[in-house]
């Protein structure tokens, strides 16, 4: 039986999921009615207003008294503002509305139109506010971290309006979450509002309302029928539960169940499964389509089989931020093999890193140029976990006690008993920075590492020392790799490389190692291995790396680590 995930690791993951999400205060968005720029303030003084046009105040803003009359900026009386009879005039003072969250990741053309009519392009870190209408264009995606710790992932060709978002300092029953999906699809994970006061949380479409029971779920609204997809609203539950309601009835949905409300009206229907066309309108499929597009014809992906199998087996709705880096080491005990490699999820590198929608941990990776891949459908099999900040970027490392990968040549799914990984979300060092570096550097400060796993299924020991030499310049090369470690059997492992490999070879897990094992149970005592790695950090001062070591008689260990330089 696999041991449960460490409680501290589980707590740490929860903290990571909420960082930048749950606010300590009740901040507000201050919108300039002329420039439409948004400033996030710590609290609302109630002195916002709309000025200049003489138009009635927007009911959604004014009904709560948070809007106002231009000139003095005094709050508008709700009874007056709700019917739009309050005149507006004066200087055009900023409008204040509740802050709703921030953009975690945006790809393609993602626009937000605010409550005073201003449109802006969304990018990572920017705020979203009550009253915003968010549009994801063709081949576009946006992921929002809501202020209550929830998440919204809006996919290509979708529009979502944030109708109400109230998240007070204290959860006193005044909190609200309401959003309307006009068309397209959204993956929603409830935060504090949906968990503590489920009746105050609702997602709407033109046909239906979806209530939750502590949930991760997907909503699709199809205004016009498509091949294989009837027009209407679809709701699929991933975890927890939802209640899909229409004017003709309601339907409770449990995990893995899907419901449908047809465009012509009627009671919600339980479906055996979602239409295949909706299931495959996910991030990984979008990327797969992009890989085969005309402008990639000159550098076509070599290995698409792993990506296709991952799309079929994993919830691929959430992709890591662009520029994220990943390395892994997969141990197959029955096959007596350690498979090592890495990926950067950038279209130019033809790689995909998918995150678990609940925990935000990597659940699948596929590099379609070097064939490296891994996937798991259960991140609760996490044995080991750590995180740190290196050269200004976050780094997470861990050990999964199971999973699968795909033979990139045959497409066959293979067993993985242990998978070590290191992951830096959005953490690669930009080429412009790397190209300005020169000379040699030694990355020898061991920031963190996973415990080692061996051929018997044992897990333990530690990585004692790791040094990686890099020659910077027009052609960046890895010139050395020196490792010393002890495993759970008290054997000592030494591995080294002296030579020259480029960064793509290093990322692909093809840096060759000469291996020596000493102690009882080392067999021949000598063998070979391989290592993968990616340079990370704002200034190129970190490396995430994974390795696999094996003697000529089958003894083996694997691991992952993070090192840095001054």
């Amino acid at each position: 039986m696999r041991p449960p995930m460490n409680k501290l690791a589980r707590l740490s993951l929860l903290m990571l999921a909420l960082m930048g999400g749950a606010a300590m205060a009740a901040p507000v968005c201050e919108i300039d009615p002329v420039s439409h720029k948004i400033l996030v303030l710590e609290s609302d003084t109630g002195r916002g207003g709309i000025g200049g046009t003489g138009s009635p105040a927007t009911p959604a803003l004014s009904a709560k008294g948070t809007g106002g009359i231009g000139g003095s900026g005094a709050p508008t009386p709700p009874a007056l503002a709700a019917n739009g009879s309050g005149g507006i005039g004066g200087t055009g003072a900023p409008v204040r509305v509740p802050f709703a969250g921030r953009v975690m990741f945006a790809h393609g053309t993602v626009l937000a139109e605010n409550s005073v009519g201003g449109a802006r392009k969304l990018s990572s870190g920017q705020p979203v506010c009550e009253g915003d209408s968010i549009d994801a264009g063709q081949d576009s995606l946006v992921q929002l971290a809501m202020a209550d710790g929830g998440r919204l992932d809006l996919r290509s060709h979708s529009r979502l309006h944030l109708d109400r978002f109230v998240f007070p300092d204290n959860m006193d029953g005044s909190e609200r979450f309401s959003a309307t999906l006009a068309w397209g699809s959204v993956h929603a994970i409830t935060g504090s509002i949906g968990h503590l006061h489920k009746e105050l949380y609702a997602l709407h479409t033109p046909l239906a309302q979806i209530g939750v029971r502590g949930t991760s779920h997907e909503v699709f609204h199809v205004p016009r029928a498509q091949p294989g997809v009837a027009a209407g609203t679809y709701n699929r539950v991933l975890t927890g539960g939802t209640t899909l309601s229409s004017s003709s009835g309601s339907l409770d949905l449990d995990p893995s169940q899907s419901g449908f409300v047809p465009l012509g009206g009627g009671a919600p229907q339980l479906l055996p499964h979602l239409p295949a066309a909706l299931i495959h309108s996910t991030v990984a499929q979008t990327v797969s389509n992009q890989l085969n597009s005309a402008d990639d014809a000159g550098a076509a992906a070599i290995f698409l089989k792993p990506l296709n199998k991952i799309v079929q087996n994993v919830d691929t709705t959430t992709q890591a931020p662009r520029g994220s880096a990943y390395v892994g080491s997969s141990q197959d005990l029955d096959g007596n093999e350690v498979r090592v490699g890495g990926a950067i999820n950038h279209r130019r590198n033809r790689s995909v890193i998918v995150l678990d929608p609940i925990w935000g941990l990597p659940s699948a990776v596929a590099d379609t140029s070097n064939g490296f891949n891994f996937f798991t459908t259960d991140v609760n099999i996490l044995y080991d976990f750590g995180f740190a900040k290196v050269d200004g970027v976050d780094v997470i490392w861990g050990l999964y006690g199971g999973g699968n990968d795909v033979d990139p040549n045959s497409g066959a799914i293979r067993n993985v008993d242990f998978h070590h990984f290191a992951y830096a979300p959005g953490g690669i060092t930009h080429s412009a920075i790397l190209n300005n570096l020169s000379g040699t550097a030694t990355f020898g400060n061991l920031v963190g590492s996973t415990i080692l796993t061996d051929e018997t299924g044992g897990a333990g020991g530690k990585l004692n020392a790791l040094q990686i030499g890099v020659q910077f310049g027009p052609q960046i090369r890895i010139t050395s790799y020196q490792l010393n470690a002890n495993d759970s059997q008290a054997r000592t492992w030494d591995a080294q490389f002296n030579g020259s490999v480029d960064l793509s070879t290093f990322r692909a897990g093809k840096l060759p190692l000469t291996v020596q094992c000493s102690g009882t149970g080392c067999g021949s005592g000598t063998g070979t291995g391989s290592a993968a790695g990616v340079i990370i950090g704002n200034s190129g001062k970190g490396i995430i790396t994974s390795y696999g070591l094996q003697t000529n008689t089958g003894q083996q260990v694997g691991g992952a680590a993070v090192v840095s330089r001054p």
Side-chain angles (χ1 to χ4, degrees), residues 526-543:
T526 59
T528 59
S530 60
V534 178
I535 298 176
I536 62 167
N538 294 332
S539 305
K541 293 185 177 181
I543 293 178

Side-chain angles (χ1 to χ4, degrees), residues 150-182:
R151 267 234 322 272
L152 296 172
D153 299 342
L154 194 65
R155 300 172 185 156
S156 179
H157 294 296
S158 300
R159 166 173 277 197
L160 182 76
H161 185 263
L162 298 176
D163 306 320
R164 291 288 306 276
F165 191 91
V166 180
F167 186 52
D169 295 352
N170 300 307
M171 301 286 279
D172 56 7
S174 65
E175 54 273 9
R176 295 288 187 279
F177 174 89
S178 176
T180 298
L181 180 68

Side-chain angles (χ1 to χ4, degrees), residues 330-352:
S330 295
Q331 259 180 301
D332 178 356
L333 300 184
D334 291 337
N336 197 31
E337 188 177 6
V338 185
R339 298 182 283 269
V340 176
I344 298 171
N345 72 326
H346 193 290
R347 180 178 176 183
R348 188 168 58 246
N349 293 309
R350 301 177 296 280
S351 301
V352 173

Side-chain angles (χ1 to χ4, degrees), residues 143 315-321 353-357 360-364 423:
Q143 185 178 96
D315 176 6
T316 54
T317 54
T318 307
Q319 190 185 15
I353 302 170
V354 176
L355 305 180
D356 176 80
L361 283 171
S363 60
Y423 163 61

Side-chain angles (χ1 to χ4, degrees), residues 269-295:
Q269 307 167 16
L270 182 65
L271 299 178
H273 54 75
L274 280 180
L278 294 182
I279 295 174
H280 288 91
S281 62
T282 58
V283 172
Q285 186 64 32
T286 298
V287 174
S288 177
N289 293 337
Q290 291 175 348
L291 293 175
N292 290 303
S293 63
D295 58 351

Side-chain angles (χ1 to χ4, degrees), residues 466-477:
L466 176 61
Q467 290 190 340
I468 304 174
V470 179
Q471 174 67 56
F472 290 107
Q475 298 293 327
I476 302 173
R477 317 292 290 186

Side-chain angles (χ1 to χ4, degrees), residues 197-236:
H197 296 287
K198 300 173 178 58
E199 71 280 6
L200 305 180
Y201 177 105
L203 260 175
H204 303 266
T205 74
L207 298 173
Q209 174 175 311
I210 297 99
V212 300
R213 291 174 278 151
T215 301
S216 169
H217 67 120
E218 297 171 299
V219 180
F220 305 80
H221 183 67
V222 182
R224 292 184 297 275
Q226 302 173 11
V229 183
T233 293
Y234 298 81
N235 179 214
R236 176 170 71 165

Side-chain angles (χ1 to χ4, degrees), residues 3-5 10 13 356 359 376-383 400:
M5 187 168 71
R10 207 179 268 277
L13 289 176
D356 176 80
W359 293 105
T376 177
T377 56
D378 182 10
V379 299
N380 287 318
I381 57 175
L382 190 71
Y383 279 11
Y400 285 126

